[in-house]
Amino acid sequence: MHRGFLKTGAWLGAITIILGAFGAHTLKKWVDVDALNAYETGIYYQMFQVLAIFLIGVLYKSFPGKWMRFSGRFFAVGILFFSGSLYAITFLRAMHNNSAFNIIGPITPIGGLFFILGWVCMAVAIHRKN
């Protein structure tokens, strides 16, 4: 097992639940439905990537090496860019009640690319073991 990925997954999981609860109980009072939907998309993707990071932590024992490490790191960076940009857009809308902050939006697909790279690296790591 790779303790670093397991610890990262645990902390990111806790943060995801906190952010989700904040969105469900507080944020919905401050933003419109579109902004809340973007925020919830960030939560949704973050939780799946957190589970992927846990999976990396478990799979690392059977498939150690750089490809598996790259995979876990790409998932973490993807969370930062994908979910983080959606959170930033939502909070900026809440604070300024303006959609002009959608300029952050182009960062979101970069995070999605990191998610894809994470899954591809995981597949390469598993394939190379054979």
Side-chain angles (χ1 to χ4, degrees), residues 6-76:
L6 294 173
K7 289 191 286 187
T8 299
W11 282 110
L12 286 172
I15 291 167
T16 305
I17 299 303
I18 291 166
L19 290 172
F22 174 76
H25 299 291
T26 304
L27 189 60
K28 69 180 181 181
K29 299 173 190 173
W30 298 342
V31 297
D32 62 21
V33 173
D34 289 337
L36 190 60
N37 285 339
Y39 184 86
E40 289 174 350
T41 299
I43 296 293
Y44 180 80
Y45 276 86
Q46 182 170 336
M47 184 52 84
F48 275 109
Q49 303 320 304
V50 165
L51 294 175
I53 291 171
F54 265 116
L55 183 60
I56 296 296
V58 172
L59 288 176
Y60 196 84
K61 183 175 183 179
S62 299
F63 304 97
K66 69 178 180 180
W67 290 103
M68 200 59 82
R69 285 191 307 274
F70 284 147
S71 178
R73 291 174 184 151
F74 284 148
F75 288 136

Side-chain angles (χ1 to χ4, degrees), residues 85 88-89 92-93 98-110:
S85 66
I89 289 168
L92 290 171
R93 279 187 183 173
N98 186 340
S99 62
F101 296 102
N102 283 339
I103 194 142
I104 297 171
I107 295 171
T108 309
I110 295 170

